[in-house]
């Protein structure tokens, strides 16, 4: 799965999606309800790293597979929505 730009994009997308859910569903409640700000600092930093990797993988798959601008924008928007990367991955699964 990691042998192609699309495969790498899908894997990074899943990791980025999980990190986003951890940030929203675990780290932020820990910060605001239990006063543990370190949770957001750690999860937020990791999510930021994974988001940058996601954007780089998106650029790579766009160049290699000649994705349209509409598809690129859709993939970017998917990364901003909780569970968006998982929906996108299900659609990309058929292309692999």
């Amino acid at each position: 799965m990691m042998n192609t730009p699309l495969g790498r994009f899908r894997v990074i997308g899943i990791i980025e999606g999980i990190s986003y859910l951890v940030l929203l569903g675990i780290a932020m409640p820990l910060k605001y309800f239990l006063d543990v700000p370190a949770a957001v600092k750690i999860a937020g930093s990791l999510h930021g790293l994974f988001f940058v990797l996601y954007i780089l993988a998106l650029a790579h798959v766009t160049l290699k597979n000649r994705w349209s601008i509409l598809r690129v924008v859709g993939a970017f928007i998917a990364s901003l929505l909780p569970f968006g990367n998982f929906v996108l991955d299900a659609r990309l699964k058929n292309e692999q």
Side-chain angles (χ1 to χ4, degrees), residues 4 6 15-16 21 23-24 28 30-31 42 45 49-50 54 59 62-63 69 71 73 77 86 88 91 94-95:
T4 65
L6 182 60
I15 294 169
E16 194 272 339
L21 293 177
L23 179 62
L24 294 176
M28 289 184 72
L30 283 174
K31 178 180 179 177
I42 294 167
S45 296
L49 170 67
F50 295 137
Y54 179 85
T62 298
L63 294 173
I69 190 70
R71 192 165 206 195
V73 169
I77 290 172
F86 305 108
L88 176 63
R91 291 183 179 185
N94 297 328
E95 292 183 27

Side-chain angles (χ1 to χ4, degrees), residues 78-93:
S79 73
L80 303 177
L81 302 172
F83 300 101
N85 280 333
F86 305 108
V87 173
L88 176 63
D89 183 64
R91 291 183 179 185
L92 295 176
K93 190 181 229 180

Side-chain angles (χ1 to χ4, degrees), residues 21-74:
L21 293 177
V22 167
L23 179 62
L24 294 176
I26 298 172
M28 289 184 72
L30 283 174
K31 178 180 179 177
Y32 291 109
F33 297 128
L34 298 177
D35 197 30
V36 183
V40 168
K41 190 171 190 174
I42 294 167
S45 296
L46 287 172
H47 172 67
L49 170 67
F50 295 137
F51 184 74
V52 169
L53 292 175
Y54 179 85
I55 297 300
L56 292 173
L58 177 58
H60 188 223
V61 78
T62 298
L63 294 173
K64 291 293 184 180
N65 293 12
R66 297 180 179 244
W67 280 10
S68 69
I69 190 70
L70 186 62
R71 192 165 206 195
V72 173
V73 169

Side-chain angles (χ1 to χ4, degrees), residues 7 12 48:
I12 292 169

